[in-house]
Amino acid sequence: MVKVELMRRSKPRTLSTVVKGLAIASVALVVPFTGVAATASADPVVDNAAPLSSATSPNGSTITKVEVKNDRELTLYVHSASMDKEVPLDVLRPADTSAPRPTLYMLNGAGGGEDSATWRARTDAYDFFGDKNINVVSPIGGKWSYYTDWNQADPVLGLNKWKTFMTEEIPPLVDAALGTNGVNAIAGLSSSGTSVLQLAISNPELYRGVAAYSGCAQTSDPIGQTFVKQVVELYGGGSTLNMYGPDNDPTWAQNDPYVNAEGLRGLDLYISNGNGLPGIYDNLDGPDIDGRVPTLANQVIIGGVIEAATNYCAHNLQNKLNQLGIPATYNFRDSGTHSWGYWDDDLKNSWPVLAHALGI
């Protein structure tokens, strides 16, 4: 267990109370942490003016500043000791902060939230969680990395230690900053649908639930390696040699959720996928299409091929989990491409599973 230095309060305050008290309800506030005695304005969540800089991860990662957007939303900036850089965390606070609440970590797609393909930009997820008593945390960073620890730095994609960041560095900081109850679940789509399974297996005590939407659990067999290389090399311009090494390197299998599926035992699991055929959102009136024929063609053709591939992986994972006697909730649609309209539905459809994991 990670110990975090944190001054607790007897009665939590809401962000709205603090924001109003600072007369900044309608503007953003950026608060740097200097490591010296903090004022109330330096700490929008924790009472007793406890500086969040006193909360550290085992390797020395810290929160460097907080940007308060409104009484429910803020950005925590974390200095990652393993990657030696600052990573923003997009945060939605619970509807009711009168008691410690659980946390749902939501990973964006292959672009890591550094592009426009994000939960915030492409779905109404934040509206959906508006009345939920959970913290929602999405890291902004990690494009084309699979949110894993790479063997070495890459000339294009840099130093990637995202497994360390997600499982060791930010959980104690998030718990300290948001006053959580320490109960976590994680959800991701596309390549992050692979990542959330990897992360849960790598740290079995951290998450109680996992939702993977259109992800491929296979990474070490020839087909799985091909999928990973398409994301990392074709789209990201990086090299999987720096990620996991040559094809026969054992690192590939060590990070393969299919191979290590036993590590998912005891978790609340939700697995979803379409089959690649055009569905309800694959038309000129579909989300993000806006009547554009080239956009629709790309979604139907490219998105159809990708979704058919992840569908193959998802069914293989189902077979593996069945062999192991590990239960999961599956939603295998009879249509649908690799696109946001379906992932928006998946998130909402998976909520009962995630809510159970979070103790809601």
Side-chain angles (χ1 to χ4, degrees), residues 121-171:
R122 297 296 185 91
T123 73
D124 63 356
Y126 286 75
D127 291 334
F128 176 73
F129 288 124
D131 63 348
K132 308 295 190 295
N133 285 321
I134 63 171
N135 300 284
V136 179
V137 177
S138 289
I140 307 301
K143 60 184 178 181
W144 320 115
S145 72
Y146 269 89
Y147 286 102
T148 190
D149 282 2
W150 287 39
N151 287 346
Q152 59 191 26
D154 184 85
V156 175
L157 298 179
L159 178 61
N160 291 295
K161 295 293 181 182
W162 291 96
K163 180 173 72 174
T164 297
F165 182 76
M166 289 295 304
T167 63
E168 299 177 25
E169 294 182 344
I170 63 172

Side-chain angles (χ1 to χ4, degrees), residues 172-260:
L173 302 179
V174 166
D175 290 345
L178 305 182
T180 78
N181 65 5
V183 176
N184 305 308
I186 189 167
L189 61 109
S190 191
S191 64
S192 293
T194 305
S195 305
V196 295
L197 297 168
Q198 292 175 336
L199 292 168
I201 292 170
S202 71
N203 194 325
E205 302 299 321
L206 183 57
Y207 309 107
R208 295 188 183 180
V210 181
Y213 320 124
S214 302
C216 182
Q218 301 166 227
T219 62
S220 63
D221 65 284
I223 293 177
Q225 287 180 332
T226 298
F227 295 157
V228 173
K229 290 176 182 179
Q230 289 254 328
V231 172
V232 173
E233 299 181 350
L234 181 62
Y235 295 115
S239 172
T240 55
L241 290 174
N242 297 319
M243 180 183 182
Y244 289 155
D247 291 355
N248 61 350
D249 190 302
T251 309
W252 285 92
Q254 290 167 6
N255 289 277
D256 188 325
Y258 178 86
V259 171
N260 301 288

Side-chain angles (χ1 to χ4, degrees), residues 38-39 47 61 67 73 90 103 111 121 157-158 160 170 176 195 202 209 219 239 249-250 266 275 296 301 307 309 332:
T39 64
D47 205 356
S61 297
E67 179 183 291
E73 298 176 86
D90 188 15
T103 303
L157 298 179
N160 291 295
I170 63 172
S195 305
S202 71
T219 62
S239 172
D249 190 302
N275 65 4
L296 175 60
I301 298 172
E307 192 72 2
F332 293 141

Side-chain angles (χ1 to χ4, degrees), residues 37-89:
T39 64
S41 64
D43 188 353
V45 180
V46 181
D47 205 356
N48 299 323
L52 295 184
S53 55
S54 67
T56 61
S57 67
N59 66 359
S61 297
T62 60
I63 295 173
T64 57
K65 62 184 176 182
V66 176
E67 179 183 291
V68 179
K69 299 177 181 178
N70 54 53
D71 63 350
R72 292 287 303 281
E73 298 176 86
L74 66 153
T75 303
L76 299 177
Y77 291 84
V78 173
H79 177 263
S80 167
S82 66
M83 295 184 284
D84 192 25
K85 67 179 180 180
E86 189 175 71
V87 180
L89 305 180

